[in-house]
Amino acid sequence: MRERAGLRAIGGGRRRWPLWPVFFTLVLAAVSLLLHAEKSRRREEIRQAKEQLAAVVRARPVAGAKSQRAMFHKARFFLDYPAAASFGVADFIRRLAVVFRPREILDLRIDPGLHGFDFQLSVAIAREAPVTMPWQFAARLEELRNFPEIARLTYTEKAPADTSPGEIPRSRGGRDWVFFITGQAELQ
Amino acid sequence: MRPGKLARTLLRLLAALAVLAAFVVLDWYPAVKELGRMRRDRSDLQRRLKDYGAMASGFVFPDREEKALFARGRAELRRALLPVDDDSAWIAIALLDLQAQSRKDRLPRVRFMVSGQAWAPELGTAGPARPDPLAAWLGNRQSAGIQEGCRIASDPGRFPWQAIVAGLEMRPGRRLASRPLAVALEAPLAALLDFVNHVSWGAARLEIVRLHLEARAPVPRAWLVLRGYYLVRGPSPWAVPEGAGSDDGLRVDPDSPLLWQRIDPSLFCEGGKRELPAGIP
């Protein structure tokens, strides 16, 4: 009866343990084994994919070629910059001297940067009584604004804040309007 | 069922559940989690592989001609930076450059300054026996502006060519140095502007840092603060500190179509030197 129940049996002085815990543990271990085998397979797949990607990158080095080209363009810019900046500045003054006659240009300061330059210009326009608003100046300012390289332009009748008192141009005994123009231009 | 037997059965069931839970918590759950991560990694790698293939098929790789262009560009960059033994040698080269240019552009009056002080008057038009009308003008209102220009030119924080220096293969014992100098001139506007345009054409490749012009005087007058770069042997107070400045102005967008195509060889020949058009009043 005890043996048929399959729980335990005692025969000849021996105790017989049930078998189901062993099977149960074996089943659990088998599932673990399958999971670890799958992990190992996927790890191998990832390693192969990484090797394949590295081989493709080695064979067709896009980043390397891009970096070489970028460096070439930067070097070209460095080499061309001095001449481009000096031409840009000289040509700007040349055209400016067409808009404002040289005798009207009191003072011009230009600070070139890598891609453009800032400028501060003071001009003296002769007063023509009884005109209160110097329309000549407005017309010339518009001409200056139409320069293709001009990115920003403002004007005032007061000297810019960073101009030292000694540097402020004076009108000739009130015979001129003095205007201060500041702006930013791009190097063409 | 007897109570003792029921209790034993329950106890075994609990024991079996505990073993199952141990497997799940300690092994299966981490394994399934890692399998999920690996699946994502694998898909990511496959996608990158596919994207790279697509990108590479649209990319124009450098050919022999373009590689030769890169080499010529590097050589030109090395030639552009004059190797000198010390700072004075470079100053001499730069001043001789300026003197030659001022003669070529027929400037009636010119004066060179280094660190804001008159330098080598024999190179300018004011000699010991000749009066120098520029001196009074410069000493009066302009010296502060020139000094400020020189300060800007020698400020390492404003060094704009960091990206170039980083890619430069420096010869052993050489360091990149940068030094400002100034030139004042008085000339008819056409000659003055020609000089401004030509000032960078010499071997010293001078960059304009600041220009000041007064055109109302009987003859237009101007001063320019210039800056040049050279490779100096040994220590120099004008050496550009490592990592100085920034490369903000020289960033190239990695996705720019410019980097996907072969470089046009005609770019190499431009040189940036252009004469001013006629038409100066």
Side-chain angles (χ1 to χ4, degrees):
Chain A
M1 182 69 180
R2 278 175 303 188
E3 285 165 2
R4 200 169 63 236
L7 290 174
R8 65 177 182 183
I10 301 170
R14 285 187 304 147
R15 187 179 178 193
R16 195 164 161 199
W17 291 96
L19 290 175
W20 73 265
V22 177
F23 288 128
F24 182 67
T25 312
L26 277 175
V27 168
L28 296 184
V31 172
S32 281
L33 204 67
L34 283 173
L35 282 173
H36 284 281
E38 179 60 15
K39 253 169 67 178
S40 167
R41 195 182 65 80
R42 285 203 184 162
R43 196 171 289 131
E44 180 61 18
E45 272 179 8
I46 287 172
R47 192 187 60 76
Q48 280 176 0
K50 276 183 180 168
E51 275 179 9
Q52 207 177 344
L53 183 63
V56 171
V57 171
R58 263 198 310 276
R60 313 185 81 188
V62 174
K66 274 186 176 179
S67 133
Q68 273 184 314
R69 281 181 187 150
M71 189 59 204
F72 177 86
H73 286 295
K74 286 176 191 173
R76 216 38 283 155
F77 185 82
F78 172 75
L79 293 168
D80 293 347
Y81 172 77
S86 53
F87 176 84
V89 166
D91 192 46
F92 175 74
I93 300 172
R94 181 186 69 81
R95 284 175 295 130
L96 185 73
V98 176
V99 175
F100 293 100
R101 287 188 293 274
R103 65 182 174 78
E104 292 173 332
I105 299 174
L106 297 176
D107 192 290
L108 170 66
R109 192 178 94 183
I110 294 183
D111 294 304
L114 282 190
H115 302 287
F117 55 86
D118 296 328
F119 63 90
Q120 280 184 16
L121 167 69
S122 54
V123 290
I125 309 286
R127 284 178 191 265
E128 290 180 9
V131 178
T132 49
M133 173 64 196
W135 60 267
Q136 307 99 315
F137 172 71
R140 289 176 201 184
L141 189 71
E142 197 52 35
E143 269 188 72
L144 181 59
R145 209 186 292 278
N146 288 337
F147 280 17
E149 68 266 47
I150 294 290
R152 185 178 57 78
L153 197 68
T154 55
Y155 81 93
T156 167
E157 287 180 67
K158 285 184 179 173
D162 64 339
T163 312
S164 62
E167 285 182 306
I168 299 174
R170 305 277 174 208
S171 110
R172 294 173 302 167
R175 281 179 290 159
D176 296 328
W177 293 93
V178 177
F179 291 96
F180 300 91
I181 302 168
T182 54
Q184 207 169 41
E186 289 165 4
L187 285 175
Q188 299 280 298
Chain B
M1 192 178 274
R2 283 180 300 172
K5 196 173 175 183
L6 182 67
R8 265 201 310 276
T9 307
L10 275 175
L11 198 65
R12 281 171 188 152
L13 192 65
L14 280 175
L17 282 175
V19 172
L20 179 67
F23 264 89
V24 168
V25 170
L26 297 175
D27 189 41
W28 295 358
Y29 177 70
V32 168
K33 206 171 154 187
E34 202 177 341
L35 278 172
R37 189 185 56 77
M38 285 167 131
R39 187 178 52 79
R40 284 194 299 276
D41 284 357
R42 190 186 55 188
S43 319
D44 185 46
L45 277 167
Q46 282 168 346
R47 186 183 48 76
R48 279 168 61 192
L49 198 60
K50 197 175 153 193
D51 289 353
Y52 195 88
M55 181 177 71
S57 65
F59 188 81
V60 183
F61 285 92
D63 57 6
R64 189 181 293 177
E65 196 184 337
E66 195 180 10
K67 283 176 184 168
L69 200 63
F70 293 152
R72 278 161 58 200
R74 281 193 299 273
E76 198 184 339
L77 192 57
R78 278 195 296 272
R79 274 200 306 276
L81 296 166
L82 291 177
V84 290
D85 284 339
D86 55 33
D87 301 305
S88 310
W90 181 79
I91 283 289
I93 293 169
L95 290 181
L96 286 171
D97 253 8
L98 288 172
Q99 188 199 27
Q101 201 54 62
S102 66
R103 282 182 182 163
K104 209 184 257 178
D105 291 326
R106 297 179 183 181
L107 299 183
R109 294 189 206 288
V110 62
R111 185 182 173 91
F112 304 113
M113 287 158 284
V114 176
S115 306
Q117 303 296 316
W119 189 273
E122 65 278 9
L123 290 179
T125 49
R130 285 167 291 175
D132 183 6
L134 282 172
W137 178 62
L138 290 169
N140 183 16
R141 277 172 38 189
Q142 307 305 328
S143 61
I146 295 173
Q147 294 289 355
E148 196 196 338
C150 289
R151 191 182 51 73
I152 291 168
S154 51
D155 180 0
R158 298 192 191 213
F159 177 62
W161 303 113
Q162 176 58 32
I164 300 295
V165 177
L168 209 62
E169 294 158 14
M170 216 74 83
R171 277 183 257 179
R174 298 269 181 197
R175 292 195 65 186
L176 183 76
S178 159
R179 190 165 184 186
L181 60 121
V183 55
L185 57 147
E186 189 180 83
L189 196 59
L192 190 147
L193 294 184
D194 273 339
F195 180 77
V196 170
N197 185 29
H198 298 152
V199 79
S200 56
W201 289 19
R205 300 179 65 262
L206 297 165
E207 294 172 7
I208 300 175
V209 177
R210 176 168 282 186
L211 175 144
H212 178 94
L213 169 77
E214 287 184 11
R216 198 176 205 183
V219 182
R221 293 183 292 212
W223 54 257
L224 296 98
V225 173
L226 307 158
R227 171 176 57 196
Y229 301 98
Y230 52 99
L231 296 175
V232 66
R233 193 197 301 274
S236 158
W238 300 99
V240 177
E242 224 164 279
S246 74
D247 61 353
D248 287 352
L250 286 177
R251 294 232 172 102
V252 180
D253 176 10
D255 296 323
S256 162
L258 207 66
L259 303 181
W260 284 66
Q261 309 294 329
R262 274 195 198 102
I263 291 168
D264 179 4
S266 66
L267 277 178
F268 195 81
C269 310
E270 273 183 11
K273 293 177 184 172
R274 282 178 286 172
E275 286 292 355
L276 286 174
I280 296 169

